[in-house]
Amino acid sequence: MFIFDAHLDLSMNAMEWNRDLRNNVSLLRQLEQGMDDKPDRGRATVSFPDLRKGNIGIVVATQIARFVKPDSLIPGWNSPQQAWAQTQAQVAWYKCMEEEGEMVSITDRESLQRHIALWNDGTPNDKKPIGYILSLEGADSIVDISYLEKAYNYGLRAIGPAHYGPGRYANGTDSTGEMNKKGIELLHEIERLNMILDVTHLCDDAFWQALDHYNGPVWASHNNCRSLVNHNRQYDDEQIKALIARGAVIGGALDAWMLVPDWKRGVSTPLGMQCNLETVFKHMDHICQIAGNALHIGVGSDLDGAFGTEQCPYDLDTIADLQKLVSIFRNHGYTEEDLKNIFHQNWINFLMKNWD
């Protein structure tokens, strides 16, 4: 099955984790043996070779750099200008990977259709570039509103206004409160540029406010269900219904604490909590039951999003194992047409509808 993954922090892994993603996952893990600066060292799941092995030919790839006040408990950069500079280093890495033939930027219908044709031409994937749509996770690095058009001009096509905690434009996970004036101005500029609003990570107050003030395309790149895991990071059934009404696609995320209740970071284990790919299915299936169809879900794995095998389904070793999820849906009675929609076509149709 051809797979479209709508959320991978590739440049963060390259620039902050210092992983050369041209190596396969096995070598990435080997190179990190003995390192303990991050909890997921030696537990990577994502690389270009493993994406190709899993027939994952299109990804939404992020830039991410949070601004935080110096006394914040959340890690980040001490000024918006520093955060912007970090995102520009990340863009430079993507451009280097394009020059190496490892990746190719997808920014419009034409480049999307061309890349789909390449990946489905019947030839081996070994040398094919990974197609990527550039997304900004958290808008804190947008120094002022004028910077958004600069970002659009180098290829940015989706943006989530918030990440964790209070942000410069919107409040995110584990915080509350509506957007400020700058946040509303940001929404209007996103709409003017016909960029995709990614509502993932918006706190409840900002979520509803964003839907009221933004009339352009909306998706939730990596979100699960609050009715199954009761945390503000997830969306409740009313929010899911609102997204469905807006024609959104919601990507299933594979971070264990979003999949099973009562996960304790650094203590719980995927096997001990019985967190497997069947658990991912339950979240995605719940959205299908609300929608009455399979037209509003996809994969937004977030694999290697500051966690590795210590905090993802125990029956997933590398990202190539997303193919196992296809079989799980099939075994639960989803049709072949449903499977195509879930694993690539819903995202593709969304882009074809909303892009020039």
Side-chain angles (χ1 to χ4, degrees):
M1 177 68 68
F2 181 64
I3 295 179
F4 183 132
D5 188 334
H7 190 85
L8 288 175
D9 296 314
L10 298 181
S11 65
M12 182 189 79
N13 275 269
M15 300 303 296
E16 295 186 54
W17 269 244
N18 197 19
R19 289 171 172 164
D20 185 347
L21 298 181
R22 296 172 297 179
N23 295 323
N24 62 33
V25 162
S26 178
L27 181 54
L28 291 178
R29 292 175 182 172
Q30 181 182 332
L31 292 170
E32 292 182 358
Q33 290 304 306
M35 298 175 68
D36 60 4
D37 59 317
K38 298 180 187 295
D40 57 326
R41 285 300 189 192
R43 299 183 175 94
T45 65
V46 178
S47 73
F48 294 149
D50 289 277
L51 283 165
R52 295 185 181 102
K53 181 180 177 182
N55 203 25
I56 305 159
I58 302 177
V59 303
V60 177
T62 68
Q63 300 168 276
I64 180 169
R66 187 193 296 109
F67 161 71
V68 296
K69 295 179 180 178
D71 59 352
S72 173
L73 297 176
I74 303 173
W77 305 96
N78 289 340
S79 74
Q81 291 79 8
Q82 288 169 273
W84 170 262
Q86 174 67 9
T87 66
Q88 299 316 288
Q90 292 168 352
V91 171
W93 176 78
Y94 284 120
K95 297 304 181 186
C96 283
M97 291 301 98
E98 288 186 55
E99 291 176 9
E100 293 294 314
E102 297 284 351
M103 303 185 78
V104 62
S105 176
I106 297 174
T107 58
D108 53 26
R109 287 181 186 174
E110 182 183 356
S111 54
L112 176 62
Q113 290 175 310
R114 186 167 58 244
H115 191 71
I116 293 168
L118 172 66
W119 268 74
N120 290 279
D121 65 1
T123 64
N125 295 339
D126 298 359
K127 302 298 182 182
K128 292 176 182 175
I130 307 298
Y132 77 101
I133 297 149
L134 191 62
S135 179
L136 179 63
E137 187 171 22
D140 285 3
S141 61
I142 302 297
V143 177
D144 61 50
I145 299 297
S146 70
Y147 278 67
L148 193 59
E149 187 164 5
K150 297 176 185 179
Y152 180 88
N153 289 337
Y154 64 62
L156 188 69
R157 290 297 179 269
I159 179 170
H163 193 222
Y164 279 84
R168 296 179 61 228
Y169 295 97
N171 294 325
T173 301
D174 291 333
S175 61
T176 59
E178 293 191 338
M179 290 185 181
N180 55 28
K181 181 182 177 183
K182 289 197 305 181
I184 300 300
E185 290 174 354
L186 181 74
L187 291 177
H188 292 161
E189 184 68 354
I190 296 170
E191 185 172 337
R192 184 185 74 83
L193 294 167
N194 193 39
M195 296 174 72
I196 299 158
L197 175 66
D198 187 351
V199 295
T200 300
H201 280 294
L202 286 176
C203 73
D204 289 358
D205 298 320
F207 172 91
W208 292 112
Q209 190 183 19
L211 292 190
D212 285 342
H213 286 84
Y214 179 80
N215 299 306
V218 176
W219 69 24
S221 62
H222 56 305
N223 246 103
N224 294 338
C225 304
R226 195 176 298 181
S227 64
L228 301 181
V229 175
N230 186 17
H231 188 278
N232 67 76
R233 170 67 179 84
Q234 319 274 56
Y235 283 146
D236 66 27
D237 288 359
E238 292 307 307
Q239 291 169 305
I240 291 168
K241 289 175 185 176
L243 289 172
I244 291 167
R246 288 289 291 265
V249 181
I250 303 166
L254 273 67
D255 195 339
W257 79 270
M258 295 172 59
L259 293 168
V260 293
D262 304 318
W263 181 274
K264 294 180 176 59
R265 292 177 185 272
V267 176
S268 299
T269 65
L271 192 58
M273 298 295 284
Q274 285 301 293
C275 179
N276 55 19
L277 289 168
E278 184 79 23
T279 319
V280 180
F281 165 79
K282 290 177 181 177
H283 282 266
M284 296 174 73
D285 177 67
H286 182 75
I287 297 169
C288 291
Q289 300 309 316
I290 292 173
N293 56 54
L295 300 176
H296 294 278
I297 63 165
V299 173
S301 73
D302 199 19
L303 288 170
D304 289 0
F307 67 96
T309 54
E310 82 290 353
Q311 195 170 298
C312 72
Y314 65 74
D315 47 352
L316 182 141
D317 182 49
T318 80
I319 195 167
D321 289 325
L322 286 176
Q323 291 292 341
K324 294 181 180 179
L325 194 56
V326 181
S327 298
I328 291 171
F329 272 90
R330 184 180 289 119
N331 292 340
H332 280 277
Y334 280 74
T335 68
E336 293 307 305
E337 182 179 2
D338 289 335
L339 298 179
K340 290 177 182 177
N341 286 331
I342 292 164
F343 288 96
H344 58 264
Q345 201 62 45
N346 287 339
W347 294 120
I348 292 167
N349 288 346
F350 179 96
L351 293 170
M352 291 299 293
K353 176 183 176 181
N354 291 297
W355 271 355
D356 296 327

